[in-house]
């Protein structure tokens, strides 16, 4: 007896929404990037689950591309955080109001 | 047996993803994310994606998370003393969307059962071999584009993080 597909969808939806809420409620920009990683992992779980249930390996190939984008996002994002910290000496998002002043 | 493994992995994934968002100290958040990555890899093994499980551990846990921890250490980040002001709105939004997902999936479970997909002998050849064949034949062009993305990200990260690459010697 295999696990139904909807259980995986439920899990990935929950993880994705946790990531969305994390982006909205955290002030530390590093943890916001970690929440984006949560969302990317939720989509990866979906891809692999559908790939297994439809016996199509293309879903697993797409996880690779998602992984590439995640790695690029982390590299550029952390570089931006370092530049921000150097310019502003703060990594809290509500301190970054340069365009509002 | 499948259910036991699924519920173990899913439970740990759900709890640790909540901890990533809820814990105040960014180091603890990153370590919770590490545990989540390992259990996602376990979930991939139960879904017969063994190669992806290995890649998940090597790339996510080995490279990406270490990079996060380095930056947390470099910037000497303190624990957050409070959440963002939009916490009530965001919490309401999250709960609403979560119930919506649950309701939609409960409704659709009776309507559409997963059609019996044609049993593919493709998985019998071994997971890594199959992925390699598909990746280097059907998805060859996206594969090359992915390498370009990585190159752009590398150059961008170096330029952004280096201190006085753009200012030059004309700075007073």
């Amino acid at each position: 007896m295999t696990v139904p597909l909807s259980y995986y969808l439920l899990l990935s939806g929950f993880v994705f929404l946790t990531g969305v809420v994390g982006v909205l409620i955290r002030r530390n920009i590093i943890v916001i990037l970690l929440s984006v990683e949560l969302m990317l992992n939720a989509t990866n779980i979906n891809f692999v689950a559908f790939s297994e249930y439809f016996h199509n390996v293309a879903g697993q190939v797409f996880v690779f591309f998602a992984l590439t984008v995640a790695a690029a996002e982390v590299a550029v994002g952390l570089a931006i955080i370092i530049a921000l910290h150097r310019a502003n000496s703060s990594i809290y998002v509500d301190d970054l109001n340069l365009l509002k002043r | 047996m499948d259910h036991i493994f699924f519920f173990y992995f899913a439970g740990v994934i759900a709890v640790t993803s909540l901890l990533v968002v809820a814990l105040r100290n960014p180091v603890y958040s990153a370590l919770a994310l590490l545990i989540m990555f390992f259990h996602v890899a376990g979930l991939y093994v139960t879904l017969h994606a063994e190669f992806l499980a290995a890649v998940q551990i090597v790339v996510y846990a080995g490279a990406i998370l270490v990079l996060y921890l380095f930056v947390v250490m470099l910037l000497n980040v303190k624990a957050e003393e409070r959440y963002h002001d939009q916490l009530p709105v965001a919490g309401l939004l999250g709960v609403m969307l979560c119930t919506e997902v649950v309701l939609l999936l409960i409704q659709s479970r009776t309507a559409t059962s997963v059609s019996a997909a044609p049993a593919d002998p493709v998985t019998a050849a071994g997971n890594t071999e199959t992925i390699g064949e598909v990746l280097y034949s059907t998805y060859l062009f996206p594969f090359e584009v992915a390498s370009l993305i990585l190159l752009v990200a590398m150059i961008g990260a170096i330029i952004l993080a280096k201190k006085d690459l753009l200012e030059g010697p004309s700075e007073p």
Side-chain angles (χ1 to χ4, degrees), chain A residues 25-88:
Chain A
I25 71 170
R26 294 305 293 255
R27 292 165 59 235
N28 191 333
I29 200 165
I30 293 180
V31 185
I32 289 180
L33 268 186
L34 287 179
S35 306
V36 174
E37 293 298 321
L38 279 184
M39 289 195 256
L40 284 169
N41 259 282
T43 58
N44 286 354
I45 293 173
N46 250 354
F47 271 134
V48 177
F50 274 110
S51 153
E52 162 74 9
Y53 274 83
F54 292 109
H55 296 285
N56 189 344
V57 83
Q60 300 186 19
V61 174
F62 269 87
V63 175
F64 274 95
F65 297 135
L67 213 79
T68 314
V69 172
E73 172 242 327
V74 167
V76 175
L78 289 177
I80 290 176
I81 289 175
I82 289 177
L84 265 180
H85 186 261
R86 191 176 286 142
N88 245 339

Side-chain angles (χ1 to χ4, degrees), chain B residues 3-159:
Chain B
H3 278 80
I4 296 172
F5 278 117
F6 173 78
F7 282 120
Y8 167 67
F9 287 126
V12 176
I13 286 170
V15 170
T16 47
S17 61
L18 275 179
L19 283 180
V20 169
V21 172
L23 286 174
R24 308 274 171 121
N25 194 331
V27 179
Y28 293 163
S29 289
L31 291 179
L33 195 66
L34 178 71
I35 299 172
M36 186 207 149
F37 284 157
F38 275 109
H39 284 84
V40 170
L43 200 65
Y44 288 170
V45 172
T46 65
L47 284 169
H48 307 288
E50 294 88 1
F51 184 61
L52 272 187
V55 168
Q56 169 91 8
I57 288 178
V58 170
V59 175
Y60 267 119
I64 292 181
L65 213 68
V66 171
L67 209 60
Y68 274 113
L69 286 176
F70 264 121
V71 171
V72 171
M73 185 196 71
L74 270 179
L75 301 186
N76 192 17
V77 184
K78 304 280 190 301
E80 277 177 85
E81 67 275 16
R82 61 183 176 85
Y83 294 125
H84 200 279
D85 296 336
Q86 56 199 11
L87 171 66
V89 182
L92 194 67
L93 183 79
V95 170
M96 268 169 49
L97 288 177
C98 216
T99 49
E100 188 173 351
V101 167
V102 170
L103 286 179
L104 283 176
L105 282 177
I106 285 174
Q107 278 179 355
S108 67
R109 250 184 80 193
T110 51
T112 58
S113 59
V114 174
S115 59
D120 212 352
V122 96
T123 44
N127 186 244
T128 312
E129 193 184 336
T130 320
I131 288 181
E133 271 173 10
V134 175
L135 187 63
Y136 288 116
S137 57
T138 316
Y139 295 99
L140 185 61
F141 182 66
F143 181 74
E144 300 291 341
V145 174
S147 72
L148 200 67
I149 289 177
L150 285 177
L151 178 70
V152 170
M154 192 172 70
I155 297 172
I158 291 172
I159 288 182

